[in-house]
Amino acid sequence: MTATGAVRDADGTDAADGPEDIGKRAAADGLEAIDKTKDGRDMTDTAAIARRLFTALQDADVPVIHELIAEDLVDHSPMFGRNAFERENLKESAVRFKTAFPDVRIHTEHVLADGDKVLVHEIVTGTNTGPFGEQPPTGRTMRVQAAHILRIAGGRVVEHWSVRELETMRAALGIGEDGAPHGG
Protein backbone atom coordinates (compact mmCIF):
# COMPACT_ATOMS: atom_id res chain seq x y z
CA MET A 1 0.00 0.00 0.00
CA THR A 2 1.06 3.64 -0.07
CA ALA A 3 2.35 5.92 2.65
CA THR A 4 -1.19 7.25 3.08
CA GLY A 5 -2.74 3.78 3.30
CA ALA A 6 -2.97 1.22 6.05
CA VAL A 7 -3.00 -2.56 5.85
CA ARG A 8 -4.84 -4.52 8.49
CA ASP A 9 -5.79 -8.10 9.16
CA ALA A 10 -9.48 -8.96 9.34
CA ASP A 11 -9.45 -8.36 13.10
CA GLY A 12 -7.71 -4.99 12.80
CA THR A 13 -4.35 -6.11 14.17
CA ASP A 14 -0.88 -5.79 12.68
CA ALA A 15 -1.51 -2.24 11.56
CA ALA A 16 1.13 -0.56 9.44
CA ASP A 17 0.45 2.65 11.38
CA GLY A 18 -0.92 3.38 14.83
CA PRO A 19 -4.10 5.39 15.46
CA GLU A 20 -2.08 8.55 16.08
CA ASP A 21 -0.35 8.29 12.68
CA ILE A 22 -3.65 7.70 10.90
CA GLY A 23 -5.26 10.70 12.60
CA LYS A 24 -2.31 12.93 11.68
CA ARG A 25 -2.43 11.79 8.04
CA ALA A 26 -6.19 12.38 7.90
CA ALA A 27 -5.77 15.91 9.27
CA ALA A 28 -2.98 16.58 6.75
CA ASP A 29 -5.33 15.37 3.99
CA GLY A 30 -8.01 17.80 5.18
CA LEU A 31 -10.27 15.12 6.68
CA GLU A 32 -12.04 15.77 9.93
CA ALA A 33 -12.14 13.07 12.60
CA ILE A 34 -15.86 12.49 13.16
CA ASP A 35 -15.66 9.92 15.92
CA LYS A 36 -13.54 7.31 17.63
CA THR A 37 -14.03 3.57 17.37
CA LYS A 38 -14.57 1.53 20.51
CA ASP A 39 -10.86 0.71 20.56
CA GLY A 40 -9.88 4.39 20.26
CA ARG A 41 -8.96 4.57 16.57
CA ASP A 42 -9.95 7.69 14.63
CA MET A 43 -12.93 7.09 12.39
CA THR A 44 -10.95 8.72 9.60
CA ASP A 45 -9.15 5.37 9.48
CA THR A 46 -10.87 4.03 6.35
CA ALA A 47 -10.40 0.40 7.38
CA ALA A 48 -12.11 1.07 10.72
CA ILE A 49 -15.01 2.79 8.93
CA ALA A 50 -15.40 -0.21 6.60
CA ARG A 51 -15.34 -2.67 9.52
CA ARG A 52 -17.90 -0.59 11.40
CA LEU A 53 -20.16 -0.51 8.33
CA PHE A 54 -20.04 -4.26 7.76
CA THR A 55 -20.77 -4.92 11.45
CA ALA A 56 -23.75 -2.55 11.15
CA LEU A 57 -24.94 -4.43 8.04
CA GLN A 58 -24.66 -7.75 9.89
CA ASP A 59 -26.61 -6.38 12.86
CA ALA A 60 -29.08 -4.34 10.73
CA ASP A 61 -28.00 -1.30 12.77
CA VAL A 62 -29.91 1.29 10.71
CA PRO A 63 -28.64 4.42 12.55
CA VAL A 64 -25.00 3.43 11.97
CA ILE A 65 -25.67 2.58 8.31
CA HIS A 66 -27.35 5.99 7.94
CA GLU A 67 -24.34 7.67 9.55
CA LEU A 68 -21.70 5.93 7.43
CA ILE A 69 -23.32 6.05 3.97
CA ALA A 70 -23.29 9.41 2.20
CA GLU A 71 -26.69 10.59 1.03
CA ASP A 72 -25.33 11.06 -2.49
CA LEU A 73 -23.34 7.79 -2.65
CA VAL A 74 -22.59 6.57 -6.17
CA ASP A 75 -23.13 2.80 -6.49
CA HIS A 76 -21.22 1.41 -9.47
CA SER A 77 -22.51 -2.16 -8.89
CA PRO A 78 -26.31 -2.35 -9.01
CA MET A 79 -27.86 -5.57 -7.75
CA PHE A 80 -31.32 -6.91 -8.54
CA GLY A 81 -32.00 -3.89 -10.73
CA ARG A 82 -31.31 -1.24 -8.11
CA ASN A 83 -28.43 0.59 -6.49
CA ALA A 84 -28.27 -1.66 -3.45
CA PHE A 85 -25.60 0.34 -1.64
CA GLU A 86 -27.44 3.68 -1.72
CA ARG A 87 -28.31 4.74 1.82
CA GLU A 88 -32.08 4.06 1.95
CA ASN A 89 -31.84 0.86 -0.12
CA LEU A 90 -28.99 -0.43 2.05
CA LYS A 91 -30.84 0.25 5.31
CA GLU A 92 -33.94 -1.52 3.99
CA SER A 93 -31.92 -4.46 2.64
CA ALA A 94 -30.02 -4.93 5.91
CA VAL A 95 -33.29 -5.23 7.85
CA ARG A 96 -34.82 -7.62 5.29
CA PHE A 97 -31.66 -9.76 5.21
CA LYS A 98 -31.50 -9.93 9.03
CA THR A 99 -35.16 -11.02 9.04
CA ALA A 100 -34.48 -13.73 6.47
CA PHE A 101 -31.20 -14.84 8.11
CA PRO A 102 -31.39 -14.02 11.84
CA ASP A 103 -28.08 -15.80 12.46
CA VAL A 104 -26.27 -13.97 9.63
CA ARG A 105 -22.54 -13.45 10.11
CA ILE A 106 -20.49 -11.16 7.93
CA HIS A 107 -16.85 -12.02 8.40
CA THR A 108 -14.52 -9.42 6.94
CA GLU A 109 -11.88 -11.85 5.75
CA HIS A 110 -9.59 -9.14 4.36
CA VAL A 111 -9.70 -5.37 4.77
CA LEU A 112 -7.08 -3.46 2.79
CA ALA A 113 -6.95 0.32 2.77
CA ASP A 114 -5.08 2.58 0.38
CA GLY A 115 -5.70 6.29 0.70
CA ASP A 116 -9.42 6.96 0.48
CA LYS A 117 -10.29 3.48 -0.82
CA VAL A 118 -10.86 0.25 1.10
CA LEU A 119 -11.16 -3.27 -0.29
CA VAL A 120 -13.33 -5.54 1.84
CA HIS A 121 -13.47 -9.28 1.13
CA GLU A 122 -16.42 -10.64 3.08
CA ILE A 123 -17.77 -14.10 3.74
CA VAL A 124 -21.46 -14.16 4.62
CA THR A 125 -23.03 -17.16 6.35
CA GLY A 126 -26.53 -17.74 7.62
CA THR A 127 -29.59 -19.97 7.73
CA ASN A 128 -32.72 -18.88 5.90
CA THR A 129 -35.35 -19.14 8.66
CA GLY A 130 -37.38 -16.06 7.71
CA PRO A 131 -39.02 -14.84 4.51
CA PHE A 132 -36.52 -13.81 1.83
CA GLY A 133 -38.24 -11.33 -0.44
CA GLU A 134 -41.38 -13.07 -1.64
CA GLN A 135 -39.99 -16.51 -0.77
CA PRO A 136 -40.88 -18.44 2.36
CA PRO A 137 -37.96 -19.68 4.49
CA THR A 138 -36.04 -22.60 2.99
CA GLY A 139 -34.27 -23.68 6.17
CA ARG A 140 -31.08 -23.94 4.15
CA THR A 141 -27.72 -22.48 5.05
CA MET A 142 -25.51 -20.45 2.78
CA ARG A 143 -21.90 -19.36 2.61
CA VAL A 144 -21.14 -16.74 -0.02
CA GLN A 145 -18.32 -14.32 -0.70
CA ALA A 146 -18.22 -10.78 -2.00
CA ALA A 147 -15.57 -8.16 -2.58
CA HIS A 148 -16.35 -4.48 -2.14
CA ILE A 149 -14.33 -1.38 -2.85
CA LEU A 150 -15.47 1.63 -0.86
CA ARG A 151 -14.29 5.19 -1.39
CA ILE A 152 -14.51 7.09 1.86
CA ALA A 153 -14.46 10.86 2.30
CA GLY A 154 -15.24 12.83 5.42
CA GLY A 155 -15.86 9.63 7.38
CA ARG A 156 -18.58 8.36 5.00
CA VAL A 157 -18.77 5.93 2.09
CA VAL A 158 -19.25 8.04 -1.05
CA GLU A 159 -18.66 5.40 -3.77
CA HIS A 160 -19.09 1.63 -3.96
CA TRP A 161 -18.02 -1.13 -6.37
CA SER A 162 -18.53 -4.87 -5.78
CA VAL A 163 -18.42 -8.41 -7.07
CA ARG A 164 -20.86 -10.84 -5.43
CA GLU A 165 -21.59 -14.59 -5.60
CA LEU A 166 -25.33 -14.26 -6.17
CA GLU A 167 -25.60 -17.53 -8.09
CA THR A 168 -23.89 -19.37 -5.23
CA MET A 169 -26.39 -17.90 -2.77
CA ARG A 170 -29.38 -18.84 -4.93
CA ALA A 171 -28.05 -22.38 -5.40
CA ALA A 172 -27.39 -22.83 -1.66
CA LEU A 173 -30.91 -21.69 -0.83
CA GLY A 174 -32.61 -23.58 -3.67
CA ILE A 175 -33.95 -20.42 -5.27
CA GLY A 176 -33.91 -19.96 -9.05
CA GLU A 177 -32.97 -16.77 -10.90
CA ASP A 178 -36.67 -15.98 -11.15
CA GLY A 179 -36.91 -16.16 -7.33
CA ALA A 180 -38.93 -19.38 -7.35
CA PRO A 181 -37.85 -22.42 -5.30
CA HIS A 182 -36.21 -25.19 -7.29
CA GLY A 183 -34.61 -28.59 -6.79
CA GLY A 184 -32.95 -29.80 -3.66
Side-chain angles (χ1 to χ4, degrees):
M1 299 290 113
T2 68
T4 60
V7 179
R8 302 201 186 283
D9 289 340
D11 65 0
T13 60
D14 297 326
D17 296 313
E20 305 81 19
D21 298 323
I22 293 164
K24 287 176 189 172
R25 280 200 324 270
D29 291 340
L31 297 177
E32 181 180 320
I34 60 168
D35 204 352
K36 298 272 186 188
T37 62
K38 289 180 183 176
D39 61 0
R41 289 183 287 171
D42 279 332
M43 283 307 297
T44 52
D45 175 352
T46 54
I49 292 168
R51 279 192 191 85
R52 186 170 179 228
L53 174 61
F54 281 87
T55 298
L57 291 172
Q58 170 185 280
D59 298 340
D61 189 338
V62 171
V64 172
I65 296 167
H66 186 87
E67 172 191 338
L68 295 179
I69 300 293
E71 185 175 358
D72 57 351
L73 174 132
V74 177
D75 190 353
H76 299 280
S77 305
M79 182 171 73
F80 302 125
R82 65 188 214 164
N83 292 325
F85 235 77
E86 286 182 349
R87 183 193 281 171
E88 295 307 313
N89 290 341
L90 193 58
K91 291 187 308 188
E92 178 185 313
S93 295
V95 170
R96 283 191 299 181
F97 204 79
K98 186 70 171 176
T99 300
F101 301 88
D103 65 342
V104 67
R105 288 291 169 255
I106 300 176
H107 176 70
T108 52
E109 186 72 12
H110 304 284
V111 179
L112 305 171
D114 185 12
D116 65 350
K117 291 190 180 72
V118 180
L119 170 68
V120 177
H121 169 219
E122 68 174 348
I123 297 176
V124 180
T125 59
T127 306
N128 181 213
T129 58
F132 188 47
E134 299 296 318
Q135 294 303 311
T138 65
R140 293 182 175 191
T141 60
M142 64 156 188
R143 180 186 185 278
V144 296
Q145 299 181 74
H148 302 268
I149 297 173
L150 311 174
R151 187 171 73 80
I152 299 174
R156 292 195 168 146
V157 179
V158 296
E159 283 187 273
H160 170 261
W161 297 261
S162 68
V163 178
R164 304 170 181 105
E165 288 186 329
L166 299 178
E167 294 79 24
T168 301
M169 181 176 72
R170 286 188 191 110
L173 298 175
I175 298 172
E177 247 184 79
D178 60 358
H182 70 79

